[in-house]
Amino acid sequence: MTPLEYLIVLLVAAGVFFSFVAVVGIIRLPDLYARAHATSKSDTLGTVLSLAGVALVFGADVATVKTVFLLLFMFITNPTAAHAITRAAYDQEIEPWTEGED
C-alpha cells in the first residue's frame, strides 16, 4: 500500500468511528438536547473525515471538487440543523433531562 492509501484508510476509518459514536449517542443519551449535541459534533466530524477520504480517492478530478462542495455543505448544514431542532424544542418548552428523572 502507498502512503496515500494508508491516509485514505485512516480517514475513512476515523469517519466510521465518529459516525459510530454518533449512533451510540443517539441510543444512550437521555433527551433531545443531549442527543442533538452528540450527533451534531460527532456525525459532522465522521462525515467530513469520510468525505475527505473519498476526495483523496478521486484524485484531481471534477468528482473531487463535487466531494469538497458536499463536505462543506455537510460542515455547514449539519450543526445548523441540530441547532434549529433544539431551538424549536426549546420554543416548544420541552424540558431538558435532569438527573433523578427517568
Side-chain angles (χ1 to χ4, degrees):
M1 281 178 77
T2 65
L4 180 63
E5 291 172 339
Y6 281 117
L7 179 63
I8 292 167
V9 169
L10 180 69
L11 286 171
V12 172
V16 168
F17 170 75
F18 283 107
S19 297
F20 180 73
V21 168
V23 169
V24 170
I26 288 173
I27 293 171
R28 295 288 298 165
L29 294 177
D31 70 344
L32 177 108
Y33 300 106
R35 289 175 183 160
H37 177 75
T39 58
S40 65
K41 293 181 185 306
S42 58
D43 191 40
T44 302
L45 184 59
T47 303
V48 167
L49 288 173
S50 296
L51 287 175
V54 169
L56 288 177
V57 168
F58 286 138
D61 195 8
V62 175
T64 303
V65 175
K66 290 179 182 178
T67 305
V68 170
F69 280 134
L70 181 61
L71 187 150
L72 291 173
F73 178 76
M74 293 298 292
F75 192 73
I76 293 170
T77 58
N78 205 1
T80 305
H83 175 77
I85 290 169
T86 54
R87 180 67 185 206
Y90 180 77
D91 288 343
Q92 294 288 320
E93 298 179 359
I94 296 174
E95 295 291 324
W97 178 83
T98 57
E99 194 161 330
E101 293 180 14
D102 286 330

